[in-house]
């Protein structure tokens, strides 16, 4: 019988901090952190292989006419394609992952309108939910919307996702 994989914290975890537009997919010795406002993060974790990752996107898509050979993590649709590349490399499938969605806080309600007239945070949340469903992922949990910012941490050895949400003030600013 195969020994179970240890879910104990590593002696020296690899610490990754994602800035907006960044992406990371790694192994069990990794801890990934980010800070979200109107942006959205998706976390994926494979409970048997102890691999997974996080993306931190700013907008739903690059829009028509964008052409780039390199996938740009600033956009939800391209960040999802990066996840799919990692799944192909690891020989895994979307339904094998625990998936969570975070962010989309409306920090400045009067300012965050996009060129289509919609609110950026709401469009970011909708894009994440739609893309996950389109690619066959099952969304296990989400903490989205509202006001303020979120600090997020994913531990790949355990799959734990830690969240700290600081709600905005009545005027829409950050407390």
């Amino acid at each position: 019988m195969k020994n179970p994989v240890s879910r104990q914290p590593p002696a020296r975890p690899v610490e990754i901090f994602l800035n907006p537009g960044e992406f990371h997919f790694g192994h069990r010795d990794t801890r990934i952190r980010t800070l979200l406002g109107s942006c959205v993060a998706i976390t994926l974790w494979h409970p048997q292989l102890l691999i997974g990752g996080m993306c931190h996107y700013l907008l739903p898509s690059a829009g028509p006419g964008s052409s780039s050979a390199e996938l740009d993590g600033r956009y939800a649709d391209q960040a999802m394609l990066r996840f799919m590349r990692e799944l192909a490399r690891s020989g895994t499938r979307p339904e094998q992952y625990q998936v969570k969605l975070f962010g989309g806080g409306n920090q400045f309600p009067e300012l965050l309108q996009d060129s289509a007239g919609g609110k950026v945070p709401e469009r970011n949340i909708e894009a994440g939910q739609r893309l996950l469903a389109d690619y066959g992922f099952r969304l296990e949990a989400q903490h989205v919307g509202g006001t303020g910012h979120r600090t997020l941490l994913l531990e790949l050895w355990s799959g734990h996702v830690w969240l700290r949400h600081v709600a905005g003030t009545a005027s829409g600013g950050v407390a």
Side-chain angles (χ1 to χ4, degrees):
M1 187 167 135
K2 194 174 180 183
N3 288 338
V5 180
S6 172
R7 294 194 178 170
Q8 296 301 313
R12 292 187 191 180
V14 175
E15 300 281 348
I16 304 292
F17 183 84
L18 296 184
N19 289 303
E22 293 184 337
F23 173 95
H24 185 80
F25 196 91
H27 55 82
R28 76 165 306 280
D29 292 338
T30 307
R31 178 185 291 137
I32 309 169
R33 299 174 190 266
T34 198
L35 177 64
L36 302 165
S38 62
C39 296
V40 168
I42 296 172
T43 64
L44 301 184
W45 183 67
H46 193 292
Q48 285 75 41
L49 300 178
L50 306 187
I51 60 173
M54 181 188 297
C55 68
H56 178 154
Y57 64 85
L58 289 82
L59 296 168
S61 69
S66 66
S67 60
S68 173
E70 184 68 28
L71 293 174
D72 191 336
R74 293 179 297 172
Y75 306 106
D77 55 352
Q78 293 185 26
M80 186 58 64
L81 290 173
R82 291 182 75 179
F83 273 131
M84 296 311 293
R85 281 185 182 172
E86 294 296 336
L87 269 64
R89 284 187 186 123
S90 66
T92 59
R93 298 181 315 279
E95 65 272 10
Q96 296 173 313
Y97 286 82
Q98 292 180 9
V99 181
K100 299 174 183 173
L101 182 74
F102 301 93
N106 198 347
Q107 306 218 95
F108 308 102
E110 64 284 351
L111 300 177
L112 289 176
Q113 296 249 345
D114 64 10
S115 60
K119 295 284 189 180
V120 173
E122 288 86 357
R123 292 198 51 229
N124 278 341
I125 294 165
E126 291 166 5
Q129 292 166 335
R130 178 183 43 78
L131 287 164
L132 288 167
D134 288 351
Y135 281 94
F137 291 98
R138 290 185 311 265
L139 187 58
E140 182 175 291
Q142 62 181 350
H143 191 277
V144 295
T147 60
H149 67 277
R150 292 167 172 88
T151 302
L152 190 64
L153 181 143
L154 167 63
E155 296 174 337
L156 291 180
W157 59 85
S158 68
H160 291 143
V161 178
W162 305 94
L163 170 75
R164 179 172 181 246
H165 179 221
V166 178
T169 63
S171 65
V174 177

